[in-house]
Amino acid sequence: MADNPNPRDTIRILIATDNHVGYLERDPVRGNDSMVAFDEVMQLAKSEDVDMVLLGGDLFHENKPSRKALYQCMRSIRLNSYGDKPCELRVLSDQSVATEDTAVAHLNYEDPDINVAIPVFSIHGNHDDPSGEGRFCALDILQVAGLVNYFGRVPENDDISVRPILLQKGETKLALYGLSNVRDERLFRSFRDGKVRFMRPAMGPGGEDEWFNLIAVHQNHTSHTETGYLPESFIQDFFDMVLWGHEHDCHIEPRLNTEQNFHVIQPGSSVATSLSAGESIPKHVGVLSIHKKSFSLKTIRLKSVRPFVIRDISLSDEKAIRPNTENKSAVTAFLIEQVEECIGEAIEEWREAQDPEDRDKTPPLPLVRLRVDYAGGYDVENPQRFSNRFVGKVANSGDVVLFHRKRAQATRKARTNIDVDDTDLLAEHDSLDKIKIQTLVNDVLSKQTLAILAENGLGDAISQYVDKDDKNAVKQFVDDTLTTQMKTLMRMDVREEDIDQAIEAQKEKEAEKFAKKVGREEQGARKRAVENDGFSEDDMPPPRRRQVARDDDEDEEEEEEEEPQPSIRTTKRAPAAKKAAPARKAAATSTRRGRGNKAKSPTPEISDAEDDIIEDEEDDFESVQSTRRKAPSRAMPPPKAKAAPARRGAARQSQLTFSQPSQAPSQTPRKRAAVEISDDEDDGFESMKRPGRR
């Protein structure tokens, strides 16, 4: 930029982002911090006599700001942007790009009924984005009130067209683009698929670009996930400047992107919304001066921001404190001394940022944060009790200290660098499609360490999610585990230094409990498989109510027979047993009385004389079982009973069908009795007749 550009050809813009008006407004100490900081930003715009103010999103901290936050914001804008000074910016484009309401489809300083000296342009961020019916946000209220020019709306996330507001002052032309916040993953996909278009103004007479192209965005700047950010390479190279919002770290100095050949400015937030290292960087805003295609930036430090000092401490580096001893008092005294030093450092930094005439004023209570690593055998105090010592000395008297323990480097590598040998997995299976998800899960979990969750339980939950499409399996497992851990720790009343050991013990207990549960389920499955012997539950006969005695002494002889046939042997036989009794009508009736079911073949009947003999000699009988080779699976008895040796005279194989007839209330069940098999022509036997219904 030229050393002394003509002020009539220079557009001066005050840039700021992430004001978060209304943050912690209910806090008795920090409740007004965000409002005071934003008021200072607007006062700087007036004192610096800029042409416009450009905000990069998150003007409000909440989607629905309170009346107090809305009032204070509107008050600051009105007192500092309204005035008799005419705005020298001329609009060359369609003004409807700034609003969708045709009744107020113009920039506020073009309204003849409002005297706007310093117009405010703003996009929305992720905190104050549109929602609800009509897709309105707080900026729409400021827009219709004539206080803010809200631009950069994104009506459709998968079809984005960015149109600029064309402004001119003297010989300098500014194309102002706005891209309000869109979910990072969705915007990443839209850029990748070519669904984001930028409309450019016409070139000059000689084909040169006369416009200074400036865009304001509000997205993640760093790659938190693979697609959870906006890469700078996605922004087209015809831009000259990118104002980046959303990130609170203050990097106000312009940084050149050598690949895209544009500069990036990240002002950061004007108020600390978290006690992190990035928020401790001094807060700044900037005045961007644009002259034709060149620019310059004047950085201004905010003086009303509450001072903030953060310090990382590792107790193992302090030689004066001996580990693995009664060192709680020594540790507490050391940390108190560190907090006092941070308080003095914060106050000194605040005084240096003030004007000389304001350095004698009473400084605000500072923000102080100690992040203490107490790994290695150090006894520390409760963080809440420790922080309460500094009530009236710091603004965050509830969370001054944060205790943590760093894990070993090897453990961290083991948890992040997971090496899954897919060659071995493929060698064990014919193809990748045949690899069970349980195999992959077990292989991955076996190579890392989980602090709270049991590996076998998590593996089973993932398998349920993949194999059975149970979308709540993993969430349910995690919630149940955390609930159990919390209840156990509260019941045990564990000391703070023993929490890790208690969690590890509870984790092992849960893993052992889950392993026993799986073992019981597998044992039951094997038992059912042996009992069913390959048959489905529909093919299995109903449970028998009459049991036939078994002679265990003849098991070995039965196994030696090549073709076992069902038979009944007895020490005494009645004459009626030599030939099957003729079928009676009662025997042909189905066990389900009243439904009209009839048998297709006669059923063998037991005579009275035979009943008497069998009841007296019931213990001498051997159990009966038919072979599966020829017998219908529907009438197969339980496979545990073994078949008796076949008779030479038997010409064909027979089978019994047992049933569960319902007993009438007035009848008494008969004693258990054995039944001799009939060798009649038809093999389809019906159920035994019910007692007392001959």
Side-chain angles (χ1 to χ4, degrees), residues 336-352:
I336 291 176
E337 181 181 354
Q338 293 294 317
V339 173
E340 295 292 348
E341 292 181 3
C342 290
I343 294 175
E345 179 182 346
I347 294 177
E348 185 64 24
E349 289 182 2
W350 182 85
R351 294 187 186 279
E352 292 178 358

Side-chain angles (χ1 to χ4, degrees), residues 2 18 34 52 77 101 115 117-118 136 141 161 174 234 268 375 415 439 528 581 598 632 671:
D18 297 271
S34 61
M52 57 178 286
I77 295 176
D101 192 341
N115 291 328
I118 304 175
F136 293 109
I141 299 176
S161 296
L174 172 65
F234 282 1
R415 296 177 65 182
T439 304
R528 289 190 297 270
K598 297 183 180 180
K671 296 183 179 180

Side-chain angles (χ1 to χ4, degrees), residues 193-208:
D193 298 341
K195 296 182 178 180
V196 180
R197 299 182 301 275
F198 295 91
M199 307 300 178
R200 298 185 60 181
M203 298 295 179
E208 70 279 1

Side-chain angles (χ1 to χ4, degrees), residues 141-182:
I141 299 176
L142 301 184
Q143 164 93 24
V144 75
L147 297 173
V148 169
N149 299 297
Y150 173 30
F151 72 111
R153 294 177 177 85
V154 183
E156 299 181 11
N157 295 329
D158 55 352
D159 187 13
I160 302 175
S161 296
V162 184
R163 299 170 55 194
I165 299 176
L166 303 181
L167 305 173
Q168 182 177 1
K169 180 181 178 182
E171 297 181 358
T172 301
K173 297 180 179 181
L174 172 65
L176 179 61
Y177 294 79
L179 183 59
S180 294
N181 178 262
V182 180

Side-chain angles (χ1 to χ4, degrees), residues 12 23 203 229 232 245 255 411 480 524 570:
R12 304 181 74 245
Y23 174 71
M203 298 295 179
Y229 73 112
E232 292 183 2
R255 177 181 57 82
T411 303
D480 292 345
T570 178

Side-chain angles (χ1 to χ4, degrees), residues 8-55:
R8 296 182 179 180
D9 298 330
T10 303
I11 300 177
R12 304 181 74 245
I13 307 172
L14 186 139
I15 55 176
T17 65
D18 297 271
N19 305 108
H20 287 272
V21 176
Y23 174 71
L24 287 183
E25 60 182 332
R26 299 180 183 275
D27 189 280
V29 179
R30 305 166 61 185
N32 294 324
D33 286 3
S34 61
M35 304 171 191
V36 172
F38 178 70
D39 187 65
E40 181 184 3
V41 172
M42 293 306 301
Q43 289 182 18
L44 286 173
K46 187 175 183 179
S47 62
E48 292 291 332
D49 194 22
V50 298
D51 295 305
M52 57 178 286
V53 176
L54 179 59
L55 303 179

Side-chain angles (χ1 to χ4, degrees), residues 7 44 133 158 179 182 278 326 340 523 540 554 559 580 624:
L44 286 173
E133 184 179 0
D158 55 352
L179 183 59
V182 180
E326 294 293 337
E340 295 292 348
Q523 183 179 3
M540 295 300 295
E554 297 181 4
E559 294 176 356
V624 180

Side-chain angles (χ1 to χ4, degrees), residues 547-554 558 567-573 612-624 644 647 672-675:
Q547 301 293 334
V548 181
R550 177 182 178 85
D551 190 358
D552 297 331
D553 297 334
E554 297 181 4
E558 295 170 0
S567 64
I568 300 179
R569 296 188 302 171
T570 178
T571 56
K572 296 180 182 181
R573 297 184 59 84
D612 297 337
I613 295 174
I614 293 176
E615 290 175 2
D616 294 337
E617 299 178 1
E618 151 180 280
D619 297 334
D620 296 331
F621 287 97
E622 184 174 347
S623 60
V624 180
R647 293 184 182 181
R672 295 179 298 177
V675 182

